């Protein structure tokens, strides 16, 4: 972009063409007072504090709206300007309840600071009494509070709601001193379109908008802010935990504008979902079962007794039945360091490769599919690229609910005209409202849909033949399958009109660059690996991979599911995806860990459960997972767990799985830890201790090391940085990642050396496997289809306000208030046929179980399809789902099973 030079306070400043004077001044380190400016939004020019004088031009101009011109000479600090700023501040304060002594933002309020700096006489202008009623759109709210008497009518909250969040919930009503912020028709916030992201709080320059729970919980000047990484989804938002200096409790969560990857934006979980950290139900001491399994009878124990028991019982099973009779579940909720130590313990101390974690249930088909096609099973692009990618194709990802910050990036890109959007999803999800094309395919028909798009691309000569010839192999083998995959055939399978498929194919293929976004709507099928492979085919066929704004991007569900995979918490690979059955790799790790290791790939999550049922697996160590709710066919899972000879669970709460354990070990939450997470864009980020852990809880890795020592294999680390140094030495893609280098913004792997800058996008110039490989995949129907006995298809997923099995989010006052229970989404046609009214309880049954849940009648689902979230133990969706597995990735088919729905008696 063209660079131009201007002069601000006689200082030469060179900036890109189109830069505002305010931003040019900021670049030069010159602070121009302002109250209405937020860099995330278009400038408003409302507060009139950022006025400047420009040589040769009349009057004063707002620097936030004025664009820099070549050789422009600007003054920002003159008597005339400061006199005007003082008068403006006096006018603002005449409408503002000036009570700094009892204000939560006392000491960190820019209005207060400017009033002091400009020596404002707060009573020079008579105070204007507002006639605004105290009751407003936040009355009775548990999330936030709006105080009109502290509102300066800057409009920032309205702007950020519309421009960043993209939902336009807030507006301004009335005139002059009676202006106030409200919702459309003044409806209460919970009844509006609000997503409770509270970006409005994050942008408010006073305390007019504030978290209700934080009011009078401590002034901002009394807080320590600890920068860490959010412990919910895979976006990896940087958050500041505001901890009271005296009480040591988290009072509120904020985020700094400009931080990577979230730019100060947070979702409802990141802002309001941290209550669990200080919850009184946290585990604080080791527990040993005293009664029958599942009867809740436990006694507290000292650490030595509990760890001795764990070590002795596991050692006994190993001696009697061999190491393969023991298995371990690692966790995507815990750090890279915890996961590394856990998989090392299972392999080196126990002697088996029976280690797995929840990635098996969400993205194992991504790892398998993209590794086959590209050589690396990870997101190929960066989150920031989605803000200006010309074409975004979302398939099987409820992005705005499951990865909200990525979702708002996409919404902004579409609203600004930078991006076109195609959405393919069996439900009419919220992001579909922003789409140029929405294809509502039947669940499980993705292969047919994508093959038909490729058919159109080939038939209309839209393929990138040069890319195919120079960068790929196997293309000719693909042609027979694609030749017969017509849009008309796909319409019969998917229910998407053939002409819509053609339009989508043309839009994708003709875009300057196109990025595919997908998640568990693609992966959680018995054909999940095939689904991933056809998306890779589509990208390679059009040359949309290996460069900025072009790629295939699986969005990881949990905060560290990418990192847990990278660390080798999988049965067939060590950290860095180095195969356990490769003799050279085995020797490398045997040398490093000074022990003999098994070269036999271990069992996966579902296979471990089957092993517990059959007696092949006798001991199970679960760290931070809750398979009793998260795994398919939970009735079978519960029976399998009950049959374990010995079950140990390490967690922060007494989960549904922990209730069946022989020993329960209390661990740290993310807010009490040091370490790293790796987000969905492969960015390794710091985690920092903010609060003191409860009772006698210990670090996950420290507990494992103590047990390992008792079992005869010594693992000893002084701290998490020492663990990362070992990870660095054994993991080529993490070779250049150190705590010092990632301290501010993290680094994206591959980062092989300490002078490597990290990799924003993968496969530039060459694929990780050399040439990208096309793979043929034919449409295969879901394993279980609707029939006369079970005439509906159930698909499952997540929702914005909750996360995974609800262990953490259901302890949040705000989140539980927003969504206290789940609902079964039911199309009006099906509801009419069944005689079911909205809100009425229904019984949902499959061949594996049944649940009772209220119905939500609406058009989100198509006729014949129902949807249920899996967060609620009162009506667990996975009591219904089928454990049919993808033959390659061994991932269960969560997204399609046959059910019947009846009115509940």
């Amino acid at each position: 972009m063209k660079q131009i030079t201007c002069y601000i306070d006689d200082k030469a400043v060179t900036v890109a063409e189109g830069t505002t004077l305010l931003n040019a001044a900021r670049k030069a380190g010159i602070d121009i007072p302002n109250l209405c400016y937020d860099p995330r939004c278009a400038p408003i020019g409302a507060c009139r504090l950022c006025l400047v004088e420009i040589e040769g031009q009349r009057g004063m101009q707002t620097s936030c709206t004025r664009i820099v011109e070549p050789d422009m000479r600007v003054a920002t600090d003159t008597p005339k300007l400061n006199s005007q700023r003082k008068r403006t501040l006096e006018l603002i304060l005449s409408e503002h309840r000036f009570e700094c002594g009892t204000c939560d933002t006392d000491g960190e309020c820019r209005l207060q600071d400017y009033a002091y700096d400009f020596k404002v006489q707060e009573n020079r202008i008579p105070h204007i009494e507002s006639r605004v009623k105290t009751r407003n759109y936040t009355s009775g709210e548990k999330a936030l509070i709006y105080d009109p008497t502290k509102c300066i009518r800057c409009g920032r909250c309205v702007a950020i709601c519309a421009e960043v969040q993209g939902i336009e919930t807030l507006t301004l009503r009335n005139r002059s001193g009676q202006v106030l912020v409200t919702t459309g028709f003044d409806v209460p916030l919970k009844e509006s379109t609000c997503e409770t992201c509270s970006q409005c709080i994050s942008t408010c320059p006073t305390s007019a908008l504030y978290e209700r729970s934080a009011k009078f919980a401590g002034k901002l000047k009394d807080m320590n802010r600890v920068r860490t990484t959010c412990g919910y989804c895979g976006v990896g938002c940087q958050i500041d935990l505001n901890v009271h200096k005296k009480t040591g409790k988290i009072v509120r969560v904020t985020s700094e504008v400009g931080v990577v990857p979230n730019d100060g934006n947070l979702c409802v979980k990141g802002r309001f979902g941290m209550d669990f950290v200080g919850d009184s139900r946290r585990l604080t001491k080791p527990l040993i079962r005293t009664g029958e399994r599942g009867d809740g009878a436990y006694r507290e124990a000292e650490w030595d007794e509990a760890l001795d028991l764990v070590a002795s019982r596991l050692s006994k099973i190993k001696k009697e039945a061999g190491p393969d009779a023991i298995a371990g579940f690692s966790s995507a909720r815990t750090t890279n360091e915890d996961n590394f130590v856990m998989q090392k313990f299972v392999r080196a101390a126990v002697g088996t490769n029976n280690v797995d974690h929840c990635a098996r249930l969400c993205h194992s088909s991504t790892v398998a599919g993209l590794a086959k096609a590209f050589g690396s099973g990870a997101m190929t692009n960066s989150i920031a690229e989605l803000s200006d990618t010309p074409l975004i194709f979302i398939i099987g990802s409820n992005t705005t609910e499951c990865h909200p910050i990525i979702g708002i990036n996409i919404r902004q890109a579409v609203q600004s005209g930078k991006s076109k959007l195609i959405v393919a999803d069996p439900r009419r999800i919220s992001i579909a409202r922003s789409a140029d094309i929405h294809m509502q395919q039947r669940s499980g028909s993705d292969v047919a849909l994508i093959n038909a798009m490729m058919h159109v691309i080939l038939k209309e000569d839209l393929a990138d033949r040069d890319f195919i010839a120079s960068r790929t192999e196997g293309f000719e083998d693909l042609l027979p399958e694609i030749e017969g995959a017509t849009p008309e055939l796909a319409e019969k399978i998917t229910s998407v009109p053939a002409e819509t498929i053609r339009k989508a194919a043309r839009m994708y293929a003709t875009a300057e660059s196109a990025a595919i976004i997908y998640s568990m709507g693609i992966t959680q099928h018995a054909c999940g690996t095939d689904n991933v492979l056809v998306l890779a085919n589509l990208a390679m066929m059009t040359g949309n991979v290996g460069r900025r704004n072009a790629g295939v991007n699986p969005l990881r569900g949990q905060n560290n599911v990418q990192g847990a995979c990278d660390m080798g918490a999988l049965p067939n690979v060590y950290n860095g995806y180095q195969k356990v059955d490769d003799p050279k790799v085995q020797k490398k790790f045997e040398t490093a860990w000074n022990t003999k290791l098994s070269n036999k790939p271990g069992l996966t999550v579902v296979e471990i459960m089957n092993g517990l049922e059959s007696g092949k697996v006798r001991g199970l160590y679960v760290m931070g997972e809750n398979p009793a709710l998260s795994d398919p066919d939970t009735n079978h899972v519960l029976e399998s767990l009950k049959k374990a000879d010995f079950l140990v669970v390490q967690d922060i709460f007494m989960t549904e799985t922990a209730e069946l354990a022989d020993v329960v070990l209390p661990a740290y939450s993310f807010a009490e830890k040091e370490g790293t997470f790796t987000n969905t864009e492969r960015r390794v980020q710091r985690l920092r201790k903010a609060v003191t852990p409860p009772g006698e809880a210990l670090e996950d890795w420290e507990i494992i090391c103590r047990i390992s020592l008792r079992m005869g294999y010594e693992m000893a680390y002084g701290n998490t940085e020492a663990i990362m140094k070992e990870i660095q030495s054994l993991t080529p893609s993490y070779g250049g990642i150190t705590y010092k280098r990632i301290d501010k913004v993290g680094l994206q792997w591959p980062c092989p050396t300490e002078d490597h800058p990290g990799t924003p996008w993968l496969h530039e110039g060459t694929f990780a496997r050399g040439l990208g490989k096309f793979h043929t995949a034919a449409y295969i129907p879901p394993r279980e289809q609707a029939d006369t006995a079970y005439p509906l298809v159930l698909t499952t997923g997540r929702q914005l306000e909750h996360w995974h099995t609800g262990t953490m989010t259901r302890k949040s006052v705000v989140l539980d208030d927003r969504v206290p229970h789940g609902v079964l989404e039911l199309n009006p046609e099906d509801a009419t046929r069944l005689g079911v009214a909205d809100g009425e309880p229904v019984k949902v049954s499959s061949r594996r179980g049944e649940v009772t849940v209220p119905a939500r009648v609406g058009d989100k689902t198509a006729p014949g399809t129902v949807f249920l979230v899996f967060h609620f133990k009162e009506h667990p969706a996975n009591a219904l789902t089928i454990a049919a597995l993808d033959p390659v990735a061994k991932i269960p088919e969560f997204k399609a099973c046959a059910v019947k729905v009846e009115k509940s008696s």
Side-chain angles (χ1 to χ4, degrees):
M1 188 174 289
K2 182 181 178 182
Q3 299 290 301
I4 57 177
T5 299
C6 66
Y7 300 87
I8 304 178
D9 294 340
D10 296 324
K11 185 175 184 179
V13 184
T14 301
V15 294
E17 190 175 34
T19 302
T20 64
L21 277 173
L22 180 61
N23 283 331
R26 287 158 67 98
K27 181 183 178 182
I30 298 169
D31 179 37
I32 301 177
N34 66 87
L35 285 171
C36 70
Y37 177 71
D38 186 318
R40 294 171 290 179
C41 302
I44 302 170
C47 72
R48 317 305 290 178
L49 284 180
C50 72
L51 296 172
V52 295
E53 292 182 278
I54 301 173
E55 187 177 281
Q57 298 185 19
R58 295 177 60 185
M60 294 175 279
Q61 301 187 39
T62 51
S63 62
C64 68
T65 61
R66 187 69 167 84
I67 301 300
V68 170
E69 295 175 2
D71 300 321
M72 177 184 276
R73 291 189 173 273
V74 180
T76 72
D77 187 10
T78 68
K80 181 179 179 181
L81 287 170
N82 291 334
S83 175
Q84 180 60 47
R85 287 171 182 150
K86 181 176 181 178
R87 285 195 296 271
T88 298
L89 286 165
E90 288 171 342
L91 283 167
I92 290 173
L93 291 175
S94 72
E95 300 179 7
H96 180 79
R97 185 155 53 99
F98 204 56
E99 50 179 30
C100 295
T102 57
C103 182
D104 295 276
T105 59
D106 180 23
E108 289 194 20
C109 173
R110 288 163 70 190
L111 178 61
Q112 182 189 65
D113 291 342
Y114 290 149
Y116 183 85
D117 292 343
F118 289 96
K119 302 178 179 60
V120 168
Q121 300 175 43
E122 57 190 82
N123 296 318
R124 193 177 75 82
I125 297 176
H127 184 72
I128 300 173
E129 288 294 335
S130 172
R131 295 193 299 273
V132 172
K133 295 179 180 178
T134 56
R135 184 171 182 82
N136 59 64
Y137 73 102
T138 67
S139 297
E141 256 296 311
K142 293 189 176 180
L144 66 156
I145 185 170
Y146 171 59
D147 184 347
T149 66
K150 293 183 179 180
C151 179
I152 63 170
R153 286 82 176 168
C154 63
R156 284 168 61 163
C157 57
V158 177
I160 204 166
C161 186
E163 296 175 28
V164 175
Q165 199 64 19
I167 56 172
E168 301 180 310
T169 299
L170 299 181
T171 187
L172 293 174
R173 180 164 66 81
N174 296 341
R175 288 172 173 262
S176 187
Q178 307 308 313
V179 170
L180 79 161
V181 177
T182 186
T183 56
F185 304 104
D186 298 326
V187 300
L189 204 60
K190 281 201 296 186
E191 298 174 21
S192 72
T193 58
C194 178
E195 295 177 350
T196 325
C197 64
S198 290
Q199 312 289 34
C200 53
I201 292 177
S202 78
T203 197
C204 182
T206 68
S207 63
L209 281 161
Y210 212 69
E211 296 91 342
R212 187 174 288 273
S213 63
K215 294 293 289 183
F216 296 105
K219 295 184 179 183
L220 293 186
K221 66 181 181 180
D222 297 326
M223 304 293 167
N224 287 321
R225 284 188 185 81
V226 180
R227 176 67 52 80
T228 192
T229 304
C230 183
Y232 282 113
C233 78
V235 175
C237 292
Q238 294 301 285
I239 60 175
D240 293 329
L241 298 178
N242 292 233
V243 180
H244 198 285
K245 293 175 183 177
K246 291 183 179 179
T247 66
K249 296 184 182 299
I250 298 171
V251 173
R252 67 197 297 245
V253 181
T254 55
S255 184
E256 182 183 346
V257 176
V259 295
V260 176
N262 55 304
D263 193 23
N265 301 313
L266 295 176
C267 76
V268 62
K269 294 187 291 295
R271 183 85 59 189
F272 295 110
M274 302 302 167
D275 303 29
F276 73 91
V277 174
D279 192 275
S280 61
R281 289 163 286 186
R282 285 285 301 276
L283 294 170
T284 59
K285 284 183 71 71
L287 302 173
I288 295 176
R289 182 166 60 86
T290 58
E292 295 297 317
R293 180 163 280 154
D295 67 2
Y298 287 88
R299 64 174 176 85
E300 292 185 346
E302 298 303 317
W303 271 107
D304 283 342
E305 180 190 7
L307 298 181
D308 287 345
L309 178 59
V310 172
S312 63
R313 290 292 300 273
L314 292 179
S315 296
K316 183 174 184 289
I317 293 171
K318 179 179 176 180
K319 182 177 180 180
E320 292 176 352
D324 289 339
I326 299 171
F329 285 169
S330 205
S331 175
R333 294 192 306 176
T334 59
T335 64
N336 287 321
E337 293 78 3
D338 295 330
N339 280 285
F340 177 81
V341 170
M342 180 61 171
Q343 62 92 27
K344 181 179 177 181
F345 164 73
V346 173
R347 291 183 160 113
V350 177
T352 181
N353 288 312
N354 290 343
V355 60
D356 208 356
H357 74 291
C358 71
R360 181 68 47 198
L361 307 177
C362 59
H363 272 290
S364 56
S365 44
T366 284
V367 175
L370 291 187
K372 290 174 72 172
F374 301 157
S376 173
M379 185 171 173
T380 66
N381 297 107
S382 299
I383 293 170
E385 295 171 45
L386 298 174
S387 297
D388 60 2
T389 296
L391 188 285
I392 299 170
F393 179 21
I394 299 176
I395 180 167
S397 167
N398 187 1
T399 317
T400 47
E401 293 202 52
C402 298
H403 299 88
I405 303 307
I406 294 177
I408 66 173
N409 284 356
I410 295 171
R411 280 202 294 218
Q412 282 182 282
V414 174
Q415 284 180 228
S416 68
K418 293 177 181 178
S419 302
K420 295 289 186 181
L421 178 63
I422 302 169
V423 173
D425 198 283
R427 299 170 65 224
R428 189 170 281 109
I429 53 178
S430 62
I431 193 68
R433 294 197 295 268
S434 302
D436 296 272
I437 296 174
H438 175 213
M439 299 184 285
Q440 195 168 9
Q441 78 275 34
R442 292 191 180 100
S443 186
S445 66
D446 306 281
V447 167
L449 179 67
I450 303 303
N451 279 348
M453 289 179 67
M454 288 191 284
H455 174 96
V456 174
I457 291 167
L458 288 175
K459 186 173 182 180
E460 300 187 7
D461 197 25
L462 301 175
D464 188 335
R465 297 285 179 174
D466 291 339
F467 185 91
I468 293 168
S470 63
R471 296 284 311 273
T472 72
E473 62 182 345
F475 179 66
E476 296 300 323
D477 297 334
L478 186 70
L479 297 181
E481 180 65 40
I482 300 304
E483 181 64 30
T486 65
E488 285 71 25
L489 176 61
E491 180 175 350
K492 294 177 182 177
I493 297 170
T494 67
S495 79
V496 178
E499 190 53 36
T500 302
I501 296 173
R502 286 191 171 89
K503 288 179 181 177
R506 292 167 189 148
M507 184 180 288
Y508 177 84
T510 58
E512 179 184 350
S513 296
I516 296 170
I517 299 289
Y518 75 86
S519 192
M520 286 171 279
I522 282 292
T523 60
Q524 288 181 331
H525 291 276
C527 60
T529 303
D530 283 348
N531 287 345
V532 173
L533 288 171
V534 295
L535 291 177
N537 289 345
L538 178 64
M540 289 189 290
M541 181 179 288
T542 53
N544 276 307
V545 65
R547 54 192 171 92
R548 193 180 191 280
N549 294 336
V552 180
N553 299 289
L555 301 185
R556 300 296 189 148
Q558 296 196 55
N559 55 303
N560 199 35
V561 72
Q562 181 67 59
C565 292
D566 296 344
M567 293 302 102
L570 298 167
N572 61 327
V573 291
Y574 296 104
N575 41 293
Y577 307 96
Q578 301 169 85
K579 294 184 177 180
V580 300
D581 55 1
D582 183 323
K584 290 183 180 179
V585 171
Q586 183 185 16
K587 183 172 178 58
K588 169 185 173 179
F589 281 89
E590 286 182 341
T591 301
W593 292 346
N594 193 30
T595 190
K596 184 70 177 174
L597 298 170
S598 172
N599 64 356
K600 174 186 172 186
L603 301 175
T604 65
V605 165
V606 176
E607 290 170 335
I608 289 168
M609 287 300 166
N610 293 336
L612 287 171
E613 182 186 40
S614 68
K616 180 181 178 181
V617 177
R618 291 174 51 186
L620 178 61
Y621 192 148
V622 179
M623 177 184 75
E625 296 267 318
N626 191 15
L629 275 187
S630 64
D631 289 17
D633 193 0
T634 52
N635 291 327
H636 172 256
V637 170
L638 292 171
E639 291 304 312
S640 298
L641 290 171
K642 290 174 183 177
K643 289 183 179 180
D645 284 1
F646 185 68
L647 174 63
V648 56
V649 172
Q650 184 171 304
D651 215 310
I652 63 175
F653 288 108
M654 183 63 84
T655 65
E656 289 76 15
T657 304
E659 290 171 355
L660 301 173
D662 296 282
V663 179
V664 181
L665 304 174
Y668 286 9
S669 76
F670 90 106
E672 295 137 12
K673 289 186 175 187
E674 296 285 335
T676 59
F677 289 155
T678 303
N679 79 343
T680 191
E681 63 176 352
R682 300 167 281 105
R683 186 180 299 276
V684 186
Q685 300 170 291
R686 280 299 311 274
L687 197 69
R688 297 177 181 87
K689 180 178 179 179
V691 296
T692 302
E696 298 177 16
L698 292 176
E699 290 256 38
D700 284 290
W701 64 265
E702 184 180 354
I703 298 170
I704 296 163
C705 286
R706 291 188 184 188
I707 294 170
S708 185
L709 180 62
R710 285 167 165 81
M711 292 182 67
Y713 182 77
E714 183 174 358
M715 285 197 293
Y717 303 96
N719 52 37
T720 56
E721 190 168 7
I723 302 172
M724 179 52 76
K725 287 179 180 177
E726 184 174 338
I727 294 168
Q728 187 185 359
S729 70
L730 292 171
T731 315
S733 58
Y734 279 63
I737 291 173
T738 66
Y739 276 24
K740 183 178 180 180
R741 293 193 72 204
I742 66 172
D743 191 59
K744 290 189 177 180
V745 297
L747 284 168
Q748 290 169 273
W749 67 256
C751 181
T753 61
E754 291 192 22
D755 59 356
H756 193 282
T759 309
W761 58 85
L762 298 179
H763 314 305
E764 185 173 17
T766 184
F767 285 97
R769 70 180 300 278
L771 293 175
K773 186 170 183 179
F774 286 95
H775 292 81
T776 300
Y779 166 68
I780 300 172
R783 296 291 177 85
E784 187 176 74
Q785 298 189 66
D787 55 26
T788 54
Y790 296 91
L792 299 170
V793 173
L794 169 72
T795 186
T796 66
R798 299 176 179 175
Q799 65 185 124
L800 175 65
E801 295 81 4
H802 286 289
W803 187 73
H804 211 52
T805 60
T807 304
M808 300 188 301
T809 55
R810 296 198 67 192
K811 295 175 177 65
S812 161
V813 171
V814 171
L815 301 181
D816 191 60
D817 175 66
R818 283 296 185 267
V819 182
H821 58 78
V823 294
L824 182 80
E825 292 182 6
L826 192 65
N827 186 273
E829 283 186 30
D830 296 320
T832 300
R833 177 175 52 81
L834 296 167
V836 172
D838 186 59
E840 189 174 8
V842 293
K843 183 173 73 173
V844 190
S845 308
S846 74
R847 291 178 173 87
R848 291 153 296 281
E850 63 182 46
V851 300
T852 300
V853 59
R856 172 75 52 79
V857 179
D859 64 355
K860 269 194 172 183
T861 56
T865 299
V866 294
F867 173 82
L868 184 62
V869 295
F870 67 96
H871 309 301
F872 299 92
K873 65 180 181 180
E874 296 86 349
H875 32 75
N878 287 325
L880 307 170
T881 53
I882 188 171
L885 301 181
D886 177 295
V888 178
K890 307 294 180 67
I891 191 170
E893 188 153 61
F894 287 104
K895 296 304 183 194
C897 72
V899 297
K900 62 180 176 181
V901 176
E902 307 165 276
K903 295 180 72 169
S904 176
S905 58

